[in-house]
């Protein structure tokens, strides 16, 4: 089934460093989304990138999409302790349904 | 904007009991999703509605699970009878779908269900 898989499963860095998380998926998509989840809370949407886009920026976030490799990356620059959370990619299917399938996430820890 | 509101935040019940989870989507949103999150299986889509109509319930694990959306501002997910393996965090999310492109989902803070 269509599912994004994040890599690595866990990442621990120091404040100020950059964090890169990767997502791979299996079949063609219309768009790919990244979400953040703080402990005990719901997921929060970060950024959506369409299949005809290659790169997108939002503040300290940079997302790339390579449809030929069926992969995406999320870069957080100049990380802060408040960025500590789990990050998920989510993919749709080109069939046009609204179903979003989530990966199991990358747990990011930013140490002060 | 109050966001998606779920209740209760925590539910502890005994095996065999009926459990009802509630969700109020963001006003004006026309799509509503129920997800379940566990360590083992991650986030699983159970069912979603568009304009109050169930569109895809293929993720509902068993007949013990049912979901309703009687109006645009309220949805329930019911488990009857509940089993220990139903223990998970259940999330409701809503979105505004205006084109064929997917829209971002807005999640509630979830209901943590424990079935003993």
């Amino acid at each position: 089934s269509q599912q994004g898989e994040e890599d690595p499963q866990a990442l621990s860095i120091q404040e100020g460093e950059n964090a890169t998380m990767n997502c791979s998926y299996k079949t063609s998509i219309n768009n790919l989304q990244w979400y953040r989840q703080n402990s005990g809370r719901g997921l929060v949407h970060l950024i959506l990138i369409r299949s005809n886009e290659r790169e997108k920026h939002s503040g300290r976030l940079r997302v790339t999409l390579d449809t030929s490799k069926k992969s995406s990356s999320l870069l957080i620059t100049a990380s802060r302790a408040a960025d500590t959370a789990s990050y998920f990619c989510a993919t749709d299917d080109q069939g046009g349904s609204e179903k979003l399938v989530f990966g199991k996430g990358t747990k990011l820890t930013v140490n002060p | 904007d109050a966001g998606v509101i779920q209740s209760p935040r925590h539910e502890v019940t005994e095996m065999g009991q009926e459990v009802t989870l509630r969700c109020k989507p963001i006003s004006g949103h026309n799509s509503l999703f129920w997800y379940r999150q566990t360590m083992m299986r991650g986030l699983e889509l159970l069912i979603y509605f568009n304009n109050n109509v169930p569109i895809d319930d293929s993720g509902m694990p068993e007949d013990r699970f049912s979901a309703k959306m009687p109006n645009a501002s309220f949805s329930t997910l019911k488990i009857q009878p509940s089993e220990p393996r139903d223990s998970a965090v259940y999330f409701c999310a809503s979105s505004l779908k205006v084109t064929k492109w997917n829209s971002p989902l807005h999640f509630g803070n979830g209901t943590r269900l424990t079935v003993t």
Side-chain angles (χ1 to χ4, degrees):
Chain A
S1 65
Q2 172 77 354
Q3 183 173 34
E5 291 187 8
E6 292 87 349
D7 167 58
Q9 288 188 323
L11 180 61
S12 182
I13 60 175
Q14 296 299 123
E15 232 176 0
E17 294 180 341
N18 295 343
T20 299
M21 288 157 273
N22 303 297
C23 169
S24 59
Y25 56 93
K26 295 175 183 170
T27 62
S28 297
I29 58 172
N30 283 317
N31 64 60
L32 183 145
Q33 302 182 38
W34 284 92
Y35 288 78
R36 183 188 74 218
Q37 184 180 31
N38 289 87
S39 180
R41 306 297 294 269
L43 280 76
V44 174
H45 178 259
L46 295 176
I47 200 161
L48 181 154
I49 186 164
R50 302 200 193 285
S51 58
N52 61 354
E53 297 175 312
R54 291 296 167 258
E55 190 170 309
K56 207 160 182 181
H57 296 254
S58 176
R60 294 183 296 112
L61 304 182
R62 173 178 166 246
V63 168
T64 62
L65 179 64
D66 187 336
T67 53
S68 67
K69 295 180 179 178
K70 291 187 171 57
S71 68
S72 173
S73 67
L74 170 67
L75 169 67
I76 304 174
T77 60
S79 64
R80 305 166 182 168
D83 294 329
T84 294
S86 291
Y87 292 82
F88 297 84
C89 68
T91 52
D92 66 345
D93 65 63
Q94 281 196 329
S97 86
E98 290 184 80
K99 289 173 70 167
L100 272 188
V101 180
F102 287 81
K104 291 196 175 177
T106 292
K107 184 163 186 171
L108 173 66
T109 303
V110 181
N111 301 298
Chain B
D1 185 349
V4 175
I5 299 173
Q6 291 187 246
S7 64
R9 283 283 276 141
H10 302 274
E11 176 80 42
V12 180
T13 191
E14 291 184 348
M15 183 174 65
Q17 297 297 306
E18 177 180 298
V19 174
T20 299
L21 312 181
R22 297 173 174 78
C23 175
K24 178 178 167 55
I26 291 174
S27 177
H29 280 189
N30 56 6
S31 294
L32 183 140
F33 305 78
W34 283 100
Y35 281 88
R36 177 171 69 176
Q37 186 177 38
T38 60
M39 288 292 292
M40 288 294 294
R41 300 172 70 94
L43 266 164
E44 302 172 278
L45 176 64
L46 300 177
I47 185 172
Y48 80 92
F49 297 82
N50 184 254
N51 293 322
N52 313 338
V53 176
I55 302 300
D56 188 334
D57 66 354
S58 60
M60 297 285 260
E62 299 169 33
D63 290 346
R64 297 184 297 106
F65 286 69
S66 62
K68 293 182 180 179
M69 191 162 187
N71 56 61
S73 59
F74 184 65
S75 177
T76 59
L77 178 68
K78 187 177 292 187
I79 309 172
Q80 165 65 16
S82 58
E83 297 183 3
R85 59 193 166 124
D86 301 331
S87 297
V89 181
Y90 291 80
F91 287 102
C92 175
S94 69
S95 72
L96 177 62
K97 180 175 169 66
V98 293
T99 68
K100 69 171 184 176
W101 301 105
N102 287 98
S103 304
L105 299 188
H106 298 257
F107 282 78
N109 281 324
T111 294
R112 181 174 293 275
L113 173 65
T114 303
V115 184
T116 61

